[in-house]
Amino acid sequence: MAETKVIMPQMGESIFEGTLTRWLKKPGDSVKRDEPLFEISTDKIDSEIPAPASGTLQQILVQEGQTVEINTVVGIIGDSGVVADSPVAPAASKAAASTPPVAAPPAPKTEEEDETAPGHVSPIVRRLAREHGIDLSELAGKGTGINGRITKNDIVAFIEQRSTAPASADVERVPMSAIRKSISEHMVMSLRTSAHVTTFFEVDCSSVLAAREALKAEFERTGAKLTVTPFFVLAAVRALKRFPILNASVEGDAILYRKTINVGIAVNIEGGLIVPVVKNAGDKDLQQLSREINDLGERARTKRLTPDDVKGGTFSVTNPGQFGAVIGTPIINQPQVAILCMGGIKKRAVVVDDAIVARPMIMLSLSFDHRIIDGAVADQFMADVQKQLETWK
């Protein structure tokens, strides 16, 4: 009987493990090659993983919620309807776990079991403890590994026990998802790294909205839904060419000027935020930007982004205005040095030629790294963006 092993894929060069969050099929189900088979979460993205072959899902080897290293076999696809028994899940009783199946090959040693020095814990154990605020001394002498060593399963069990401990009726303790933990760590790291400063500009969107109305039908005929966001991205890209320091990054005591402009577009997804990147944005026109921004947003929300889609950004744009925000003060997406924030477009009373008129106005903010960008340069950049938008033709 032909069998195909389903493995945990490597979703990027710096990613060495993933959490299997959900199986989309159960043992005995028929699957087709390239059909979504399971979902994973890493510290970069959430993604659906396609089946490597057609056949029947015969065995699930890694349960939902388990984190395993890349290239770990998570399931078996066969060419018949015969379904093998699934292995005992990590939460099974010690008695069951201590009775291996007859003639089963010895299980490979885990990273924790390979460590033999007394009192040593593996990097995975240390990282899990740090992420969940666990003092390893609390588990001293209680480990289930060799010589009482603390293993990854001990940490997981401790976390589960703590999360189910009695609490007041008005509190629910929910562990962070992998993507939420990644966002949390990245934001705190950014605040520690950069000297954050934010400047604010108000922009009259009359010209942009008129241009959008004139172009909307033409764009939609080619399958490119036109929103206001591409106008702001294009204006930012043009200004970045004139103020390249905002497209740079810091490496030690050196400034790295990026010759390619790759714009990250913040996308709200279930359980967090992700920033897919429009590559070579400096070479694209309004229609190309519109098409790519729509495509990245749709694939982000349907978990179809690739690791390459979320790396290489040199500047970012975020749009909380779509949810009604007047403006925000976003945190810089490291190792970038600036991020543009769009508020909501609202009609406001403004003075034009000494007359009070109603105009569609938007607040823009720019958070920038004051280590290498002076306030005057940041304001010149924003004035450039403002002028483009208010005189759009």
Side-chain angles (χ1 to χ4, degrees), residues 157-175:
F158 184 84
I159 293 169
E160 291 176 350
Q161 181 182 26
R162 188 174 62 180
S163 66
T164 57
S168 60
D170 61 344
V171 174
E172 179 184 6
R173 188 186 189 94
V174 179

Side-chain angles (χ1 to χ4, degrees), residues 17-75:
E17 64 181 14
T19 301
L20 197 155
T21 54
R22 185 161 73 103
W23 280 99
L24 303 175
K25 298 286 185 177
K26 60 181 184 296
D29 285 352
S30 296
V31 297
K32 294 181 180 179
R33 181 183 177 87
D34 296 328
E35 177 184 15
L37 182 59
F38 60 98
E39 294 180 357
I40 68 168
S41 179
T42 71
D43 63 355
K44 299 291 185 184
I45 58 174
D46 290 349
S47 186
E48 289 182 346
I49 305 303
S54 297
T56 300
L57 180 60
Q58 296 188 336
Q59 200 170 9
I60 287 176
L61 301 175
V62 172
Q63 304 301 316
E64 293 180 353
Q66 281 189 264
T67 300
V68 295
E69 295 181 359
I70 60 171
N71 298 323
T72 298
V73 179
V74 301

Side-chain angles (χ1 to χ4, degrees), residues 68-336:
V68 295
E69 295 181 359
I70 60 171
N71 298 323
T72 298
V73 179
V74 301
I76 301 291
I77 294 176
D79 59 4
S80 74
V82 179
V83 180
D85 292 333
S86 293
V88 177
S93 67
K94 290 185 179 179
S98 64
T99 308
V102 176
K109 290 184 178 181
T110 65
E111 183 179 358
E112 292 84 355
E113 292 170 336
D114 285 339
E115 303 292 353
T116 56
H120 183 85
V121 293
S122 74
I124 290 178
V125 168
R126 198 174 299 281
R127 178 175 61 79
L128 277 174
R130 182 175 64 252
E131 289 175 354
H132 293 275
I134 298 172
D135 183 351
L136 289 173
S137 64
E138 296 181 59
L139 296 175
K142 302 176 184 176
T144 59
I146 299 172
N147 298 326
R149 199 158 295 109
I150 301 169
T151 69
K152 179 179 176 181
N153 286 343
D154 295 328
I155 297 291
V156 172
F158 184 84
I159 293 169
E160 291 176 350
Q161 181 182 26
R162 188 174 62 180
S163 66
T164 57
S168 60
D170 61 344
V171 174
E172 179 184 6
R173 188 186 189 94
V174 179
M176 287 186 183
S177 65
I179 193 169
R180 175 50 58 190
K181 285 187 288 187
S182 177
I183 291 171
S184 174
E185 292 169 359
H186 195 66
M187 293 299 97
V188 172
M189 179 270 290
S190 182
L191 287 173
R192 286 198 306 260
T193 301
S194 295
H196 279 69
V197 179
T198 305
T199 187
F200 302 88
F201 273 64
E202 195 170 32
V203 177
D204 184 340
C205 292
S206 299
S207 295
V208 165
L209 293 181
R212 176 178 177 268
E213 192 61 30
L215 295 169
K216 185 169 61 174
E218 175 189 341
F219 275 48
E220 288 179 353
R221 280 196 295 271
T222 64
K225 180 183 177 183
L226 183 59
T227 66
V228 297
T229 301
F231 290 91
F232 289 82
V233 172
L234 184 53
V237 166
R238 290 169 175 169
L240 287 170
K241 292 178 180 179
R242 289 185 275 271
F243 299 92
I245 188 66
L246 279 88
N247 197 55
S249 61
V250 179
E251 188 175 273
D253 58 358
I255 300 174
L256 305 182
Y257 285 87
R258 309 289 183 182
K259 296 184 179 180
T260 301
I261 298 174
N262 299 327
V263 180
I265 308 294
V267 178
N268 183 61
I269 59 174
E270 183 180 356
L273 183 80
I274 198 163
V275 188
V277 178
V278 178
K279 304 292 176 59
N280 300 303
D283 301 329
K284 292 180 167 65
D285 60 21
L286 187 67
Q287 190 172 63
Q288 292 169 320
L289 287 173
S290 179
R291 190 186 302 278
E292 194 158 343
I293 290 169
N294 288 336
D295 174 65
L296 288 170
E298 175 63 22
R299 289 196 288 120
R301 286 183 284 270
T302 55
K303 300 181 180 180
R304 292 184 291 115
L305 291 175
T306 67
D308 188 60
D309 289 328
V310 295
K311 69 182 182 182
T314 60
F315 182 86
S316 292
V317 175
T318 184
N319 182 13
Q322 63 184 305
F323 304 112
V326 174
I327 195 55
T329 55
I331 296 173
I332 298 167
N333 187 12
Q334 297 295 325
Q336 299 166 29

